[in-house]
Amino acid sequence: AQSVTQPDIHITVSEGASLELRCNYSYGATPYLFWYVQSPGQGLQLLLKYFSGDTLVQGIKGFEAEFKRSQSSFNLRKPSVHWSDAAEYFCAVGLQGMRFGAGTRLTVKP
Amino acid sequence: DTAVSQTPKYLVTQMGNDKSIKCEQNLGHDTMYWYKQDSKKFLKIMFSYNNKELIINETVPNRFSPKSPDKAHLNLHINSLELGDSAVYFCASSQGTSGEQFFGPGTRLTVL
């Protein structure tokens, strides 16, 4: 069965600091992996996705994620966080009927 | 120009009522989905339709009935609403069952 774990419920970083959001997955085959961002009161926006190929994927808004099969991880990173990055971040696995993690809320301190 | 739209955006109703949420996509996709996001932000797939046929039906009470009149629309009808149905409901669409999903803005349902 597919499942996704986001170990951090809430993370606070200072503006300009680097960011890493963790995601671990359980999947029976080659996983399709996604990161979505949800701003308060908004829908979900796709940041990036991994289907196959290069394990380091670039997304929008300066985000990147690295697929590590040996660790069953797909962590999201950004070298320098902006105040506008404050939002809820969801990792998801699968395609039809994606399974989402519980989300990580990112707070950005001035 | 909205790719996936939902109406209404907010829905407040009494327990026991029947209500519908509509979803439309103008992306030409053939697969549509309904997700429920609870108060703790947990997102869960409810239904998936491909070419108007139901392909995923998670463990959802049969008070929830999706209806797909055509490939561009997937409506969600809920009978006998309960307090626990309060949530944000998201519609999504994709091309094929393996395509990237595009989400609508959500419908916040509050049952009093």
PDB file of all heavy atoms in Angstrom, chain A residues 23-49:
ATOM      1  N   CYS A  23      10.234  14.045   3.712  1.00  0.00           N
ATOM      2  CA  CYS A  23       9.142  13.210   3.217  1.00  0.00           C
ATOM      3  C   CYS A  23       9.676  11.795   3.052  1.00  0.00           C
ATOM      4  O   CYS A  23      10.688  11.593   2.379  1.00  0.00           O
ATOM      5  CB  CYS A  23       8.613  13.729   1.889  1.00  0.00           C
ATOM      6  SG  CYS A  23       7.400  12.641   1.098  1.00  0.00           S
ATOM      7  N   ASN A  24       9.011  10.839   3.641  1.00  0.00           N
ATOM      8  CA  ASN A  24       9.326   9.422   3.444  1.00  0.00           C
ATOM      9  C   ASN A  24       8.101   8.720   2.897  1.00  0.00           C
ATOM     10  O   ASN A  24       6.978   9.035   3.278  1.00  0.00           O
ATOM     11  CB  ASN A  24       9.762   8.776   4.765  1.00  0.00           C
ATOM     12  CG  ASN A  24      11.056   9.335   5.260  1.00  0.00           C
ATOM     13  OD1 ASN A  24      11.081  10.228   6.112  1.00  0.00           O
ATOM     14  ND2 ASN A  24      12.154   8.860   4.716  1.00  0.00           N
ATOM     15  N   TYR A  25       8.326   7.780   2.002  1.00  0.00           N
ATOM     16  CA  TYR A  25       7.206   7.134   1.341  1.00  0.00           C
ATOM     17  C   TYR A  25       7.332   5.625   1.447  1.00  0.00           C
ATOM     18  O   TYR A  25       8.411   5.079   1.672  1.00  0.00           O
ATOM     19  CB  TYR A  25       7.144   7.549  -0.133  1.00  0.00           C
ATOM     20  CG  TYR A  25       8.327   7.036  -0.920  1.00  0.00           C
ATOM     21  CD1 TYR A  25       8.304   5.779  -1.517  1.00  0.00           C
ATOM     22  CD2 TYR A  25       9.487   7.797  -1.022  1.00  0.00           C
ATOM     23  CE1 TYR A  25       9.411   5.291  -2.195  1.00  0.00           C
ATOM     24  CE2 TYR A  25      10.586   7.316  -1.697  1.00  0.00           C
ATOM     25  CZ  TYR A  25      10.550   6.072  -2.273  1.00  0.00           C
ATOM     26  OH  TYR A  25      11.643   5.589  -2.927  1.00  0.00           O
ATOM     27  N   SER A  26       6.202   4.993   1.255  1.00  0.00           N
ATOM     28  CA  SER A  26       6.154   3.543   1.149  1.00  0.00           C
ATOM     29  C   SER A  26       5.371   3.235  -0.117  1.00  0.00           C
ATOM     30  O   SER A  26       4.225   3.685  -0.267  1.00  0.00           O
ATOM     31  CB  SER A  26       5.447   2.943   2.366  1.00  0.00           C
ATOM     32  OG  SER A  26       5.228   1.568   2.179  1.00  0.00           O
ATOM     33  N   TYR A  27       6.007   2.504  -1.030  1.00  0.00           N
ATOM     34  CA  TYR A  27       5.368   2.268  -2.322  1.00  0.00           C
ATOM     35  C   TYR A  27       5.912   0.985  -2.896  1.00  0.00           C
ATOM     36  O   TYR A  27       7.102   0.705  -2.782  1.00  0.00           O
ATOM     37  CB  TYR A  27       5.655   3.444  -3.261  1.00  0.00           C
ATOM     38  CG  TYR A  27       4.758   3.524  -4.476  1.00  0.00           C
ATOM     39  CD1 TYR A  27       3.429   3.904  -4.348  1.00  0.00           C
ATOM     40  CD2 TYR A  27       5.247   3.243  -5.737  1.00  0.00           C
ATOM     41  CE1 TYR A  27       2.615   3.999  -5.459  1.00  0.00           C
ATOM     42  CE2 TYR A  27       4.438   3.341  -6.856  1.00  0.00           C
ATOM     43  CZ  TYR A  27       3.116   3.716  -6.714  1.00  0.00           C
ATOM     44  OH  TYR A  27       2.306   3.814  -7.806  1.00  0.00           O
ATOM     45  N   GLY A  28       5.056   0.200  -3.553  1.00  0.00           N
ATOM     46  CA  GLY A  28       5.461  -1.120  -4.015  1.00  0.00           C
ATOM     47  C   GLY A  28       6.326  -1.134  -5.251  1.00  0.00           C
ATOM     48  O   GLY A  28       6.989  -2.110  -5.537  1.00  0.00           O
ATOM     49  N   ALA A  29       6.308  -0.039  -6.012  1.00  0.00           N
ATOM     50  CA  ALA A  29       7.061  -0.025  -7.273  1.00  0.00           C
ATOM     51  C   ALA A  29       7.785   1.316  -7.360  1.00  0.00           C
ATOM     52  O   ALA A  29       7.931   2.010  -6.359  1.00  0.00           O
ATOM     53  CB  ALA A  29       6.107  -0.210  -8.437  1.00  0.00           C
ATOM     54  N   THR A  30       8.245   1.661  -8.542  1.00  0.00           N
ATOM     55  CA  THR A  30       8.861   2.976  -8.716  1.00  0.00           C
ATOM     56  C   THR A  30       7.828   4.034  -8.409  1.00  0.00           C
ATOM     57  O   THR A  30       6.775   4.076  -9.034  1.00  0.00           O
ATOM     58  CB  THR A  30       9.359   3.158 -10.152  1.00  0.00           C
ATOM     59  OG1 THR A  30      10.286   2.123 -10.450  1.00  0.00           O
ATOM     60  CG2 THR A  30      10.033   4.512 -10.303  1.00  0.00           C
ATOM     61  N   PRO A  31       8.119   4.875  -7.448  1.00  0.00           N
ATOM     62  CA  PRO A  31       7.083   5.823  -7.020  1.00  0.00           C
ATOM     63  C   PRO A  31       7.001   7.043  -7.922  1.00  0.00           C
ATOM     64  O   PRO A  31       7.980   7.453  -8.519  1.00  0.00           O
ATOM     65  CB  PRO A  31       7.561   6.224  -5.627  1.00  0.00           C
ATOM     66  CG  PRO A  31       9.054   6.149  -5.712  1.00  0.00           C
ATOM     67  CD  PRO A  31       9.356   5.011  -6.649  1.00  0.00           C
ATOM     68  N   TYR A  32       5.831   7.564  -8.016  1.00  0.00           N
ATOM     69  CA  TYR A  32       5.629   8.899  -8.564  1.00  0.00           C
ATOM     70  C   TYR A  32       5.455   9.812  -7.360  1.00  0.00           C
ATOM     71  O   TYR A  32       4.571   9.595  -6.546  1.00  0.00           O
ATOM     72  CB  TYR A  32       4.403   8.938  -9.462  1.00  0.00           C
ATOM     73  CG  TYR A  32       4.513   8.052 -10.670  1.00  0.00           C
ATOM     74  CD1 TYR A  32       3.796   6.867 -10.763  1.00  0.00           C
ATOM     75  CD2 TYR A  32       5.338   8.393 -11.738  1.00  0.00           C
ATOM     76  CE1 TYR A  32       3.896   6.052 -11.871  1.00  0.00           C
ATOM     77  CE2 TYR A  32       5.443   7.585 -12.849  1.00  0.00           C
ATOM     78  CZ  TYR A  32       4.721   6.408 -12.912  1.00  0.00           C
ATOM     79  OH  TYR A  32       4.830   5.604 -14.011  1.00  0.00           O
ATOM     80  N   LEU A  33       6.292  10.829  -7.266  1.00  0.00           N
ATOM     81  CA  LEU A  33       6.342  11.659  -6.069  1.00  0.00           C
ATOM     82  C   LEU A  33       6.108  13.125  -6.404  1.00  0.00           C
ATOM     83  O   LEU A  33       6.548  13.595  -7.453  1.00  0.00           O
ATOM     84  CB  LEU A  33       7.700  11.499  -5.382  1.00  0.00           C
ATOM     85  CG  LEU A  33       7.965  10.102  -4.825  1.00  0.00           C
ATOM     86  CD1 LEU A  33       9.452   9.861  -4.667  1.00  0.00           C
ATOM     87  CD2 LEU A  33       7.245   9.927  -3.485  1.00  0.00           C
ATOM     88  N   PHE A  34       5.443  13.802  -5.502  1.00  0.00           N
ATOM     89  CA  PHE A  34       5.057  15.187  -5.731  1.00  0.00           C
ATOM     90  C   PHE A  34       5.255  15.996  -4.441  1.00  0.00           C
ATOM     91  O   PHE A  34       5.138  15.469  -3.342  1.00  0.00           O
ATOM     92  CB  PHE A  34       3.570  15.288  -6.114  1.00  0.00           C
ATOM     93  CG  PHE A  34       3.162  14.436  -7.275  1.00  0.00           C
ATOM     94  CD1 PHE A  34       2.887  13.096  -7.107  1.00  0.00           C
ATOM     95  CD2 PHE A  34       3.048  14.983  -8.542  1.00  0.00           C
ATOM     96  CE1 PHE A  34       2.501  12.295  -8.170  1.00  0.00           C
ATOM     97  CE2 PHE A  34       2.657  14.193  -9.611  1.00  0.00           C
ATOM     98  CZ  PHE A  34       2.388  12.853  -9.431  1.00  0.00           C
ATOM     99  N   TRP A  35       5.481  17.286  -4.628  1.00  0.00           N
ATOM    100  CA  TRP A  35       5.355  18.250  -3.550  1.00  0.00           C
ATOM    101  C   TRP A  35       4.365  19.332  -3.991  1.00  0.00           C
ATOM    102  O   TRP A  35       4.488  19.885  -5.088  1.00  0.00           O
ATOM    103  CB  TRP A  35       6.693  18.904  -3.218  1.00  0.00           C
ATOM    104  CG  TRP A  35       7.533  18.136  -2.253  1.00  0.00           C
ATOM    105  CD1 TRP A  35       8.591  17.320  -2.537  1.00  0.00           C
ATOM    106  CD2 TRP A  35       7.404  18.130  -0.829  1.00  0.00           C
ATOM    107  NE1 TRP A  35       9.105  16.797  -1.384  1.00  0.00           N
ATOM    108  CE2 TRP A  35       8.402  17.281  -0.315  1.00  0.00           C
ATOM    109  CE3 TRP A  35       6.531  18.762   0.076  1.00  0.00           C
ATOM    110  CZ2 TRP A  35       8.570  17.035   1.054  1.00  0.00           C
ATOM    111  CZ3 TRP A  35       6.697  18.528   1.425  1.00  0.00           C
ATOM    112  CH2 TRP A  35       7.702  17.676   1.908  1.00  0.00           C
ATOM    113  N   TYR A  36       3.397  19.581  -3.103  1.00  0.00           N
ATOM    114  CA  TYR A  36       2.426  20.637  -3.332  1.00  0.00           C
ATOM    115  C   TYR A  36       2.543  21.660  -2.210  1.00  0.00           C
ATOM    116  O   TYR A  36       2.911  21.329  -1.078  1.00  0.00           O
ATOM    117  CB  TYR A  36       0.991  20.087  -3.312  1.00  0.00           C
ATOM    118  CG  TYR A  36       0.568  19.363  -4.564  1.00  0.00           C
ATOM    119  CD1 TYR A  36       0.852  18.008  -4.737  1.00  0.00           C
ATOM    120  CD2 TYR A  36      -0.119  20.030  -5.574  1.00  0.00           C
ATOM    121  CE1 TYR A  36       0.445  17.340  -5.886  1.00  0.00           C
ATOM    122  CE2 TYR A  36      -0.524  19.367  -6.723  1.00  0.00           C
ATOM    123  CZ  TYR A  36      -0.241  18.020  -6.869  1.00  0.00           C
ATOM    124  OH  TYR A  36      -0.633  17.364  -8.017  1.00  0.00           O
ATOM    125  N   VAL A  37       2.154  22.915  -2.519  1.00  0.00           N
ATOM    126  CA  VAL A  37       2.108  23.956  -1.512  1.00  0.00           C
ATOM    127  C   VAL A  37       0.682  24.493  -1.446  1.00  0.00           C
ATOM    128  O   VAL A  37      -0.003  24.605  -2.471  1.00  0.00           O
ATOM    129  CB  VAL A  37       3.119  25.081  -1.811  1.00  0.00           C
ATOM    130  CG1 VAL A  37       2.835  25.761  -3.143  1.00  0.00           C
ATOM    131  CG2 VAL A  37       3.125  26.116  -0.694  1.00  0.00           C
ATOM    132  N   GLN A  38       0.239  24.760  -0.233  1.00  0.00           N
ATOM    133  CA  GLN A  38      -1.088  25.321  -0.032  1.00  0.00           C
ATOM    134  C   GLN A  38      -0.969  26.560   0.846  1.00  0.00           C
ATOM    135  O   GLN A  38      -0.627  26.465   2.027  1.00  0.00           O
ATOM    136  CB  GLN A  38      -2.018  24.301   0.639  1.00  0.00           C
ATOM    137  CG  GLN A  38      -3.447  24.789   0.782  1.00  0.00           C
ATOM    138  CD  GLN A  38      -4.351  23.750   1.451  1.00  0.00           C
ATOM    139  OE1 GLN A  38      -3.901  22.919   2.234  1.00  0.00           O
ATOM    140  NE2 GLN A  38      -5.631  23.789   1.122  1.00  0.00           N
ATOM    141  N   SER A  39      -1.245  27.718   0.273  1.00  0.00           N
ATOM    142  CA  SER A  39      -1.270  28.954   1.055  1.00  0.00           C
ATOM    143  C   SER A  39      -2.602  29.038   1.775  1.00  0.00           C
ATOM    144  O   SER A  39      -3.578  28.419   1.344  1.00  0.00           O
ATOM    145  CB  SER A  39      -1.078  30.159   0.134  1.00  0.00           C
ATOM    146  OG  SER A  39       0.183  30.093  -0.477  1.00  0.00           O
ATOM    147  N   PRO A  40      -2.670  29.797   2.861  1.00  0.00           N
ATOM    148  CA  PRO A  40      -3.903  29.857   3.655  1.00  0.00           C
ATOM    149  C   PRO A  40      -5.133  30.178   2.814  1.00  0.00           C
ATOM    150  O   PRO A  40      -5.144  31.148   2.053  1.00  0.00           O
ATOM    151  CB  PRO A  40      -3.609  30.977   4.664  1.00  0.00           C
ATOM    152  CG  PRO A  40      -2.131  30.965   4.805  1.00  0.00           C
ATOM    153  CD  PRO A  40      -1.595  30.610   3.450  1.00  0.00           C
ATOM    154  N   GLY A  41      -6.140  29.338   2.940  1.00  0.00           N
ATOM    155  CA  GLY A  41      -7.387  29.569   2.225  1.00  0.00           C
ATOM    156  C   GLY A  41      -7.324  29.307   0.737  1.00  0.00           C
ATOM    157  O   GLY A  41      -8.271  29.624   0.012  1.00  0.00           O
ATOM    158  N   GLN A  42      -6.235  28.725   0.286  1.00  0.00           N
ATOM    159  CA  GLN A  42      -6.065  28.502  -1.154  1.00  0.00           C
ATOM    160  C   GLN A  42      -6.066  27.013  -1.487  1.00  0.00           C
ATOM    161  O   GLN A  42      -6.029  26.157  -0.602  1.00  0.00           O
ATOM    162  CB  GLN A  42      -4.732  29.112  -1.619  1.00  0.00           C
ATOM    163  CG  GLN A  42      -4.601  30.597  -1.357  1.00  0.00           C
ATOM    164  CD  GLN A  42      -5.618  31.392  -2.135  1.00  0.00           C
ATOM    165  OE1 GLN A  42      -5.831  31.186  -3.331  1.00  0.00           O
ATOM    166  NE2 GLN A  42      -6.291  32.311  -1.461  1.00  0.00           N
ATOM    167  N   GLY A  43      -6.085  26.742  -2.786  1.00  0.00           N
ATOM    168  CA  GLY A  43      -5.961  25.367  -3.255  1.00  0.00           C
ATOM    169  C   GLY A  43      -4.515  24.921  -3.268  1.00  0.00           C
ATOM    170  O   GLY A  43      -3.632  25.591  -2.738  1.00  0.00           O
ATOM    171  N   LEU A  44      -4.266  23.781  -3.883  1.00  0.00           N
ATOM    172  CA  LEU A  44      -2.921  23.227  -3.918  1.00  0.00           C
ATOM    173  C   LEU A  44      -2.227  23.574  -5.225  1.00  0.00           C
ATOM    174  O   LEU A  44      -2.810  23.452  -6.298  1.00  0.00           O
ATOM    175  CB  LEU A  44      -2.973  21.702  -3.781  1.00  0.00           C
ATOM    176  CG  LEU A  44      -3.339  21.199  -2.401  1.00  0.00           C
ATOM    177  CD1 LEU A  44      -4.830  20.981  -2.286  1.00  0.00           C
ATOM    178  CD2 LEU A  44      -2.614  19.904  -2.104  1.00  0.00           C
ATOM    179  N   GLN A  45      -0.978  23.953  -5.100  1.00  0.00           N
ATOM    180  CA  GLN A  45      -0.177  24.267  -6.277  1.00  0.00           C
ATOM    181  C   GLN A  45       0.992  23.301  -6.329  1.00  0.00           C
ATOM    182  O   GLN A  45       1.697  23.108  -5.329  1.00  0.00           O
ATOM    183  CB  GLN A  45       0.333  25.703  -6.201  1.00  0.00           C
ATOM    184  CG  GLN A  45       1.138  26.129  -7.415  1.00  0.00           C
ATOM    185  CD  GLN A  45       1.659  27.548  -7.308  1.00  0.00           C
ATOM    186  OE1 GLN A  45       1.813  28.103  -6.228  1.00  0.00           O
ATOM    187  NE2 GLN A  45       1.943  28.145  -8.451  1.00  0.00           N
ATOM    188  N   LEU A  46       1.215  22.724  -7.497  1.00  0.00           N
ATOM    189  CA  LEU A  46       2.313  21.780  -7.656  1.00  0.00           C
ATOM    190  C   LEU A  46       3.638  22.517  -7.680  1.00  0.00           C
ATOM    191  O   LEU A  46       3.833  23.444  -8.458  1.00  0.00           O
ATOM    192  CB  LEU A  46       2.135  20.993  -8.954  1.00  0.00           C
ATOM    193  CG  LEU A  46       3.209  19.955  -9.247  1.00  0.00           C
ATOM    194  CD1 LEU A  46       3.128  18.797  -8.258  1.00  0.00           C
ATOM    195  CD2 LEU A  46       3.081  19.438 -10.682  1.00  0.00           C
ATOM    196  N   LEU A  47       4.559  22.109  -6.814  1.00  0.00           N
ATOM    197  CA  LEU A  47       5.902  22.684  -6.793  1.00  0.00           C
ATOM    198  C   LEU A  47       6.836  21.914  -7.717  1.00  0.00           C
ATOM    199  O   LEU A  47       7.620  22.505  -8.459  1.00  0.00           O
ATOM    200  CB  LEU A  47       6.483  22.642  -5.376  1.00  0.00           C
ATOM    201  CG  LEU A  47       5.928  23.632  -4.363  1.00  0.00           C
ATOM    202  CD1 LEU A  47       6.531  23.344  -2.998  1.00  0.00           C
ATOM    203  CD2 LEU A  47       6.208  25.064  -4.785  1.00  0.00           C
ATOM    204  N   LEU A  48       6.779  20.602  -7.630  1.00  0.00           N
ATOM    205  CA  LEU A  48       7.636  19.759  -8.465  1.00  0.00           C
ATOM    206  C   LEU A  48       7.168  18.320  -8.377  1.00  0.00           C
ATOM    207  O   LEU A  48       6.344  17.978  -7.533  1.00  0.00           O
ATOM    208  CB  LEU A  48       9.110  19.875  -8.032  1.00  0.00           C
ATOM    209  CG  LEU A  48       9.431  19.783  -6.541  1.00  0.00           C
ATOM    210  CD1 LEU A  48       9.407  18.360  -6.037  1.00  0.00           C
ATOM    211  CD2 LEU A  48      10.792  20.408  -6.252  1.00  0.00           C
ATOM    212  N   LYS A  49       7.723  17.493  -9.273  1.00  0.00           N
ATOM    213  CA  LYS A  49       7.334  16.090  -9.314  1.00  0.00           C
ATOM    214  C   LYS A  49       8.516  15.248  -9.770  1.00  0.00           C
ATOM    215  O   LYS A  49       9.417  15.737 -10.467  1.00  0.00           O
ATOM    216  CB  LYS A  49       6.166  15.887 -10.271  1.00  0.00           C
ATOM    217  CG  LYS A  49       6.497  16.253 -11.704  1.00  0.00           C
ATOM    218  CD  LYS A  49       5.258  16.298 -12.585  1.00  0.00           C
ATOM    219  CE  LYS A  49       5.653  16.743 -13.997  1.00  0.00           C
ATOM    220  NZ  LYS A  49       4.515  17.155 -14.808  1.00  0.00           N
TER     221      LYS A  49
END
